[in-house]
Amino acid sequence: MVNIFIRKITFNKILAVLIILGIMSSLCITAVNLNKNSNFSPRLSAPLYGNRFYYSDNIFYNCGYGIPNCTAYAWGRAYELLGNRPNLCTGNAGRWYEYNKSNGIYRYGNAPRLGAIACFDNEYGGHVAVVEQITKDRITFSNSAYQGKSFYLSYANINDSNPGQQGWDFQGYIYIDDFSQDETTVNSMYITKAETGLNFRTGATTNSSVISTIPYNTKLYVTTVYKSGGYSWGYTRYNGIEGYCAIEYAEKI
């Protein structure tokens, strides 16, 4: 989780990369207007290798500090969500929150919101994670870890004052935009009708990893339905694992 980007890259190398990418420091102190009700699709599985937001167009990757790295991942996720390069700190994760606050770039606060970047600090350098889902009692974060996992999910209770990161001091959230997610609470029973089986996925997208295949005529209790990528994704539990399936291939009973 510790990012040593600033410690290991020389000033000249950083400056060269910033010039190439056209994001000199003057850009980083420009206030950002938020778009209202931008569509949001949660990322609950790792980005594919070669995804430009996390690789070829990622400033950390281009400096030799790509994924696995919490800052490379969070910067890339923000880029993916916004569709343009984010005005986020390009230094150590522990500096992101104060950098944003001091320069008046994005809004910030202590309440979780979709797409917000959760910022943590400690003596070793900090951590950043992205809010992917919020339910009545749980927050889901996507993460990467320097010299650790390339991608993983973490969770926190909605009322946790230090959400999900023991050993780290929670600084707050950076709100890169105002995102909304088309979701409906259903709490209903469905029965699968895909004769060859229904894919059970880690996320509400067709790019999400397939956990298993749910057999035809299996009953599922669906709590929430998300609209994403032209499908309605039911959030459910199968064989003791939580995940998503396209309920176009199921019937409500």
Side-chain angles (χ1 to χ4, degrees):
M1 294 182 185
V2 179
N3 177 5
I4 55 173
F5 179 83
I6 292 299
R7 298 176 188 172
K8 288 192 174 182
I9 300 293
T10 66
F11 174 80
N12 288 337
K13 189 173 182 180
I14 295 172
L15 184 59
V17 172
L18 291 176
I19 293 172
I20 292 170
L21 294 178
I23 51 173
M24 294 300 293
S25 58
S26 59
L27 179 63
C28 294
I29 58 174
T30 302
V32 176
N33 293 321
L34 301 185
N35 297 317
K36 300 297 183 181
N37 299 318
S38 299
N39 189 43
F40 183 85
S41 179
R43 173 167 286 286
L44 303 175
S45 60
L48 296 176
Y49 180 76
N51 184 318
R52 69 184 183 91
F53 302 117
Y54 301 91
Y55 294 96
S56 62
D57 268 2
N58 189 292
I59 187 172
F60 291 90
Y61 176 82
N62 284 310
C63 287
Y65 288 86
I67 294 172
N69 187 337
C70 67
T71 49
Y73 172 78
W75 195 93
R77 179 63 174 137
Y79 190 178
E80 181 178 48
L81 287 169
L82 294 171
N84 51 67
R85 291 189 177 95
N87 296 343
L88 294 166
C89 180
T90 54
N92 192 290
R95 297 177 53 206
W96 279 36
Y97 190 77
E98 285 302 322
Y99 178 88
N100 176 74
K101 183 178 178 180
S102 298
N103 289 301
I105 304 171
Y106 298 107
R107 297 176 187 171
Y108 54 89
N110 293 319
R113 297 181 187 174
L114 290 175
I117 298 174
C119 301
F120 305 87
D121 192 22
N122 69 8
E123 60 182 306
Y124 302 108
H127 180 64
V128 284
V130 182
V131 177
E132 300 292 348
Q133 287 184 331
I134 303 171
T135 64
K136 63 180 181 180
D137 59 358
R138 189 170 76 164
I139 311 167
T140 299
F141 302 91
S142 62
N143 307 254
S144 182
Y146 180 72
Q147 295 185 332
K149 293 181 179 179
S150 293
F151 179 90
Y152 66 97
L153 298 177
S154 61
Y155 308 92
N157 186 282
I158 195 74
N159 297 315
D160 190 349
S161 60
N162 190 49
Q165 298 291 338
Q166 298 303 317
W168 305 88
D169 296 323
F170 177 60
Q171 297 168 296
Y173 295 99
I174 299 173
Y175 307 128
I176 61 170
D177 209 336
D178 284 343
F179 294 104
S180 64
Q181 183 168 268
D182 189 352
E183 63 179 83
T184 305
T185 300
V186 293
N187 292 324
S188 300
M189 191 68 72
Y190 284 76
I191 187 166
T192 61
K193 291 301 179 182
E195 294 185 359
T196 58
L198 181 57
N199 285 335
F200 188 50
R201 298 180 180 272
T202 58
T205 69
T206 54
N207 291 327
S208 299
S209 301
V210 176
I211 304 169
S212 62
T213 302
I214 305 173
Y216 174 78
N217 240 25
T218 299
K219 291 182 179 180
L220 300 170
Y221 184 71
V222 175
T223 58
T224 309
V225 173
Y226 299 90
K227 299 283 188 178
S228 175
Y231 290 94
S232 297
W233 299 92
Y235 182 66
T236 187
R237 180 182 290 269
Y238 177 66
N239 282 345
I241 300 174
E242 295 177 340
Y244 299 80
C245 61
I247 59 173
E248 282 83 359
Y249 303 99
E251 291 181 0
K252 191 174 182 179
I253 56 175

